[in-house]
Amino acid sequence: ISNHTIDISVDFKGNAHVGEKFFLQFQNEEQLAQFRQIVSEIGVSLDSWKDYDARLHPYIGQENDIAASKVAFVENSESYLEITYGLTTPLMQKRSETSRVIAYGIKPKFFNNFLSGSLWVIPENTTITIKLPAGAEIQEPVEPDAMVRGNDITWSGYKYSNKLTLNYRVFKQIASFDFGVTLQQLLQSDVFWLVVAAIIAVGAVLFWKRRAIANRIESYVVAHSDLTREEEGE
């Protein structure tokens, strides 16, 4: 294993999807062919891959944190074994929330595979990249020191720290009103015919009392017109 990369994509609610790549070097074609055979025999069993090589396993979270997973051997310009998986619980913890902003912080327990004594240690040739949701605002400090590019935070080994800190906040999206969608939802709801019946009933009452209403309006206009003339005469 020449390199190990971990790419973590975080959504707006703090959930994460993880992709890990173990870049492999083979001394010859025979060794490569043997590994292809191993891949076909083991398949997607994470336990079997760990039995084959203790280094080949998901590094984010523990076994009970892993949701659906996929294993693939990719042969391009570089050969690597790729493990992709989701987590059963959010990687990020909600720290506070207002009407406009939600503040999150990373849960260090998901990185216990990098805990050595009291230190968080990222080994040499290991890179961890966390991609936060669009519009996230990263709060200093980030520990250990990381390279920050936009919404991407990258730790490259060898690196160690007695703290693992990543805090950020996201701004809530302002809901937009779509008349077409609202109308369609109304047409499909059970309330639609009640609304239609109510409109018909109100229309019938107005039609039935149209003369009385017209007389009241006419009387109101006449009364105020007379008052206006009196004020002008004074």
Side-chain angles (χ1 to χ4, degrees), residues 186-219:
L186 178 62
L187 291 173
Q188 295 174 348
S189 69
D190 297 333
V191 183
F192 173 71
W193 293 110
L194 294 177
V195 174
V196 172
I199 293 174
I200 293 174
V202 171
V205 171
L206 293 175
F207 180 80
W208 180 261
K209 295 190 174 184
R210 67 188 186 281
R211 292 185 179 179
I213 294 173
N215 290 335
R216 288 185 181 182
I217 294 174
E218 184 179 355
S219 299

Side-chain angles (χ1 to χ4, degrees), residues 68-116:
S69 61
K70 177 182 176 182
V71 181
F73 178 50
V74 180
E75 296 183 69
N76 292 327
S77 56
E78 295 181 288
S79 299
Y80 57 86
L81 187 73
E82 182 176 28
I83 302 177
T84 57
Y85 54 95
L87 300 174
T88 56
T89 57
L91 178 74
M92 302 297 179
Q93 179 180 0
K94 185 186 295 184
R95 299 194 180 279
S96 64
E97 181 176 1
T98 66
S99 59
R100 290 286 295 115
V101 179
I102 306 176
Y104 288 98
I106 199 167
K107 297 179 183 177
K109 70 173 186 176
F110 282 96
F111 294 81
N112 282 348
N113 282 306
F114 298 97
L115 192 58
S116 179

Side-chain angles (χ1 to χ4, degrees), residues 44-208:
V44 298
S45 173
L46 297 180
D47 291 336
S48 297
W49 277 112
K50 192 171 183 179
D51 290 339
Y52 172 74
D53 190 316
R55 298 169 296 175
L56 298 176
H57 66 88
Y59 278 74
I60 306 302
Q62 304 302 316
E63 290 183 10
N64 59 345
D65 296 316
I66 307 300
S69 61
K70 177 182 176 182
V71 181
F73 178 50
V74 180
E75 296 183 69
N76 292 327
S77 56
E78 295 181 288
S79 299
Y80 57 86
L81 187 73
E82 182 176 28
I83 302 177
T84 57
Y85 54 95
L87 300 174
T88 56
T89 57
L91 178 74
M92 302 297 179
Q93 179 180 0
K94 185 186 295 184
R95 299 194 180 279
S96 64
E97 181 176 1
T98 66
S99 59
R100 290 286 295 115
V101 179
I102 306 176
Y104 288 98
I106 199 167
K107 297 179 183 177
K109 70 173 186 176
F110 282 96
F111 294 81
N112 282 348
N113 282 306
F114 298 97
L115 192 58
S116 179
S118 60
L119 295 177
W120 302 97
V121 179
I122 301 174
E124 190 176 0
N125 297 327
T126 298
T127 302
I128 303 174
T129 299
I130 299 179
K131 186 176 184 62
L132 298 177
E137 186 178 279
I138 300 169
Q139 307 293 299
E140 296 293 344
V142 176
E143 300 169 308
D145 291 336
M147 180 175 66
V148 179
R149 289 183 177 177
N151 297 329
D152 294 355
I153 299 94
T154 301
W155 288 296
S156 298
Y158 180 78
K159 192 177 288 291
Y160 67 91
S161 174
N162 60 356
K163 293 182 180 180
L164 179 60
T165 307
L166 174 57
N167 296 310
Y168 66 96
R169 60 181 188 168
V170 293
F171 295 88
K172 294 181 180 180
Q173 297 178 349
I174 300 175
S176 59
F177 178 76
D178 191 323
F179 178 77
V181 173
T182 303
L183 179 60
Q184 184 177 7
Q185 291 175 346
L186 178 62
L187 291 173
Q188 295 174 348
S189 69
D190 297 333
V191 183
F192 173 71
W193 293 110
L194 294 177
V195 174
V196 172
I199 293 174
I200 293 174
V202 171
V205 171
L206 293 175
F207 180 80
W208 180 261

Side-chain angles (χ1 to χ4, degrees), residues 1-5 20-24 55-59 79-83:
I1 301 176
S2 59
N3 287 290
H4 177 203
T5 64
E20 300 195 35
K21 295 179 181 179
F22 300 87
F23 290 85
L24 309 173
R55 298 169 296 175
L56 298 176
H57 66 88
Y59 278 74
S79 299
Y80 57 86
L81 187 73
E82 182 176 28
I83 302 177

